[in-house]
Amino acid sequence: MSKHLNFLRAGVIAFYGALPAFAEDAPSLDTVVASVNGEVITLGEMISVRAGLPEQYQSIPSDVLFNSILDQLVQQTALAQSLGEAIPQRVEIALNNERRTLLAAEALEGFVLQNELSEDELRAAYDDKYQGFVGEDEFNASHILVATEEEAKAIRKDLTDGADFAETAMAKSTGPSGASGGSLGWFGMGQMVKPFEDSVMGLAVGEISAPVQTQFGWHLILLNDARKSLAPSFEDARTELENDAQRRAVEAFIATTASEADVDRASAEAIDPNVLAKTELLNPNPVQDQ
C-alpha cells in the first residue's frame, strides 16, 4: 500500500511540482502552514513571532499559542495584501531601516561568536586590570543609637569606665542592630549617612566616638576594624572581563568596518539638521478634520 502511495505522490509532484510538506514530514523553517490568496505562511515565520513575544507570554504552552499566532499572521497577511501596490513610502523606509538593523545585528553576533576570548586571554586581562590593585576603604563598626545627646553622653561615660559595648547596645540601643550588640558589619564609603561616615573615618580601631547626630538620633560608634577592599577573584571578575573585552572588540570592529567602507557624505553637508524634526514628511497626506 505504501509503495502505491509513494508512486502516486511522485507522479503528482512530477506533474504539479514540489508539494508543501505534509504533516508526517519532519517540519522545517520552510514548512508551509497556511496560505492567504496564494501567499504562503511558513513555520519559520511562526517560530520567529513566538521568539519575539514579550517575556510574560513566553511561558504560555505552544499548543495554546499556535492557533493564535497563525490567526495573527493570516490576518496581517490579508491586511497587507489589501494595500495592493499602494505601499506608503514611510512604510518602505521603516522596512529598510528594520532590515538594516537586523542585518547589522547579525554581523555583530557573528563577529562575537568568532572572537571569544580564550581562558589564557581572560586571565591575562585579569592580571592586567588588577595588578597593583588598591582597594577602597572599608570599615567594620558597631553603634548605639539613642534619642538624645544627654543619653549618649551618659552611655559613653559608662563605656569609658569599662562597660561592655555589645551588652550596652543590646540593653539601650533603639536601633535595629541593638539585638546583635550594635554590629553593623563591613561597609564602604557612601553606604552610611555623611555625619556617621565622617565620624567613622576619624576613628582609630578600638576607639569610641563622641556622640554623633544624624536624622535617626544620636550615635556612639565603635570602630572594630578597617581595611582596603580586595580585588575580586578571577571567577567573580570573569563576566565583567568578558563584557569589557567584547565591548572593546565590537567597537573596534564597527569602527574598522565603517572606515573600510566607501562612504560619501558630501550630500549630507547641504542639509539643515533641523529637518530631522519634520516628521510630518513621513505622512504627507494626513486625514483632514471634518
Side-chain angles (χ1 to χ4, degrees):
M1 182 68 177
S2 60
K3 290 183 179 179
H4 293 295
L5 181 59
N6 289 337
F7 178 80
L8 177 61
R9 184 181 181 191
V12 172
I13 291 174
F15 185 80
Y16 290 105
L19 295 175
F22 286 98
E24 64 267 22
D25 293 334
S28 70
L29 296 180
D30 295 324
T31 297
V32 175
V33 291
S35 66
V36 181
N37 296 323
E39 181 178 344
V40 299
I41 297 171
T42 67
L43 180 59
E45 291 167 334
M46 292 187 66
I47 293 173
S48 179
V49 170
R50 190 196 192 289
L53 290 174
E55 185 177 352
Q56 62 266 34
Y57 297 111
Q58 292 292 345
S59 60
I60 298 176
S62 294
D63 59 347
V64 176
L65 286 173
F66 190 91
N67 285 330
S68 295
I69 291 175
L70 184 54
D71 287 345
Q72 174 185 324
L73 289 175
V74 167
Q75 293 163 1
Q76 288 176 339
T77 302
L79 288 170
Q81 290 173 352
S82 72
L83 288 175
E85 299 298 320
I87 300 176
Q89 187 180 15
R90 68 178 183 278
V91 175
E92 295 285 10
I93 291 171
L95 290 172
N96 287 339
N97 282 341
E98 183 66 16
R99 183 176 186 276
R100 183 185 300 112
T101 298
L102 290 171
L103 291 176
E106 188 71 16
L108 289 178
E109 183 176 354
F111 171 80
V112 169
L113 290 175
Q114 295 173 14
N115 291 272
E116 293 183 352
L117 263 66
S118 68
E119 191 74 4
D120 288 343
E121 289 173 321
L122 275 177
R123 289 192 177 275
Y126 173 83
D127 292 340
D128 181 62
K129 183 171 184 177
Y130 292 106
Q131 186 175 19
F133 175 82
V134 178
E136 297 181 350
D137 290 324
E138 292 184 334
F139 307 95
N140 186 300
S142 301
H143 81 138
I144 297 171
L145 178 64
V146 292
T148 68
E149 184 179 14
E150 290 72 21
E151 290 177 90
K153 286 180 177 180
I155 292 172
R156 189 175 191 281
K157 183 178 185 307
D158 290 340
L159 294 172
T160 57
D161 288 343
D164 182 78
F165 193 97
E167 291 178 359
T168 303
M170 286 188 284
K172 298 185 176 181
S173 181
T174 62
S177 65
S180 58
S183 175
L184 297 170
W186 287 97
F187 54 89
M189 302 295 292
Q191 292 182 257
M192 298 294 178
V193 293
K194 194 169 189 321
F196 192 102
E197 180 181 279
D198 290 344
S199 179
V200 169
M201 291 180 63
L203 295 175
V205 173
E207 185 179 1
I208 298 173
S209 73
V212 178
Q213 186 180 25
T214 71
Q215 65 265 44
F216 305 108
W218 289 86
H219 307 257
L220 295 172
I221 307 167
L222 169 63
L223 180 60
N224 300 311
D225 203 355
R227 70 185 183 189
K228 292 288 187 181
S229 61
L230 302 175
S233 68
F234 173 73
E235 288 304 324
D236 287 342
R238 176 188 290 273
T239 299
E240 181 182 357
L241 293 170
E242 289 174 336
N243 290 341
D244 286 347
Q246 185 181 96
R247 175 182 50 78
R248 290 193 297 270
V250 165
E251 289 174 352
F253 174 64
I254 293 172
T256 299
T257 303
S259 66
E260 292 176 350
D262 182 11
V263 180
D264 182 359
R265 303 173 65 141
S267 298
E269 296 176 1
I271 298 176
D272 181 358
N274 292 316
V275 76
L276 277 178
K278 294 186 176 182
T279 54
E280 66 272 14
L281 293 176
L282 294 173
N283 189 25
N285 297 306
V287 176
Q288 299 294 323
D289 293 335
Q290 299 298 320

